[in-house]
Amino acid sequence: MGWLKIGTRKAPLLQTEFIQDLKASTQHIETLSLTPRYPSATTDTKDKDLPFIPATEVSQRISAGAGGLRMFPAPRIVIVVDNIVYDCTDFISEHPGGEQVIKSFAGGECSWQFWRFHGKQDMEEFGKPLRVGRTEGLKNRFQEPNRYVGLRRWGNDVWD
Ligand code: HEM
């Protein structure tokens, strides 16, 4: 039997060598799962130059890890406002409106809800650094109620 070469098999590795081997591979996995697939763009990047992220990927919360390895999922808390994708994962703990409200829109379109509570200045100052891409085709799960209260416009009239 040619495949069975008695005496050619190497001696088993010492146990310490196995342990070192395991450590190295664990570190590797952690690095992969912590790396966001779409990193934040610099604030001088124009919206049109942001990478395009398909709507399906946004709604799955960009669940693939670095390099698209789906066995290392790293879901991000992303929301979409006016077709721009914001990664709020590291921001939610500082969000003045609380974590829960952003989490409830994770992977979804929430433009009108966003503009009900924020002005352009909030977006420029706090939203812009969170941009990771642009997308198209995501629909808001909720219909926007009437924006007028009596004769007064409600919301962003400061800058409109
Ligand atoms: C890009 C993501 C977001 C950023 C950068 C952001 C930023 C901010 C900032 C800066 C404030 C303080 C505003 C102020 O004090 O004048 C705020 C408050 C608030 N935000 Fe957001 N926000 C984001 C997403 C959202 C979303 C998706 C909602 C859901 C509707 C939301 C709801 C609120 C609420 C309810 C408040 C409190 C408003 C108040 O106390 O008057 N935010 N946010």
Side-chain angles (χ1 to χ4, degrees):
M1 280 189 275
W3 52 269
L4 179 63
K5 289 187 180 151
I6 297 167
T8 57
R9 204 171 160 235
K10 282 184 191 159
L13 291 170
L14 290 172
Q15 201 167 2
T16 49
E17 285 179 272
F18 274 124
I19 291 165
Q20 275 177 359
D21 209 33
L22 277 175
K23 268 190 192 153
S25 60
T26 311
Q27 276 167 3
H28 187 54
I29 291 167
E30 279 167 7
T31 313
L32 280 174
S33 60
L34 289 174
T35 311
R37 178 136 182 236
Y38 297 98
S40 311
T42 54
T43 44
D44 58 353
T45 308
K46 293 197 165 66
D47 285 351
K48 69 174 178 51
D49 296 327
L50 293 168
F52 183 78
I53 310 177
T56 45
E57 219 177 317
V58 177
S59 56
Q60 287 165 18
R61 297 177 42 190
I62 309 176
S63 57
L69 295 172
R70 288 186 184 276
M71 65 272 256
F72 303 125
R76 310 290 299 173
I77 300 167
V78 286
I79 59 163
V80 175
V81 175
D82 299 337
N83 281 342
I84 301 298
V85 185
Y86 296 86
D87 187 334
C88 302
T89 315
D90 301 326
F91 170 73
I92 51 165
S93 60
E94 297 161 31
H95 181 229
E99 296 192 11
Q100 206 46 49
V101 70
I102 295 186
K103 280 185 180 166
S104 71
F105 290 111
E109 209 293 331
C110 58
S111 302
W112 70 256
Q113 292 93 338
F114 180 88
W115 293 120
R116 282 288 163 103
F117 292 104
H118 313 82
K120 221 175 181 175
Q121 190 56 38
D122 292 330
M123 189 51 117
E124 187 67 22
E125 198 175 330
F126 300 96
K128 214 170 184 185
L130 309 178
R131 294 173 310 154
V132 292
R134 63 200 164 80
T135 191
E136 255 173 43
L138 268 178
K139 297 268 172 285
N140 203 301
R141 284 185 293 140
F142 307 95
Q143 202 189 338
E144 180 174 8
N146 199 338
R147 284 174 64 92
Y148 292 85
V149 178
L151 292 175
R152 222 173 146 250
R153 195 155 179 228
W154 186 20
N156 309 309
D157 36 358
V158 182
W159 52 273
D160 261 354

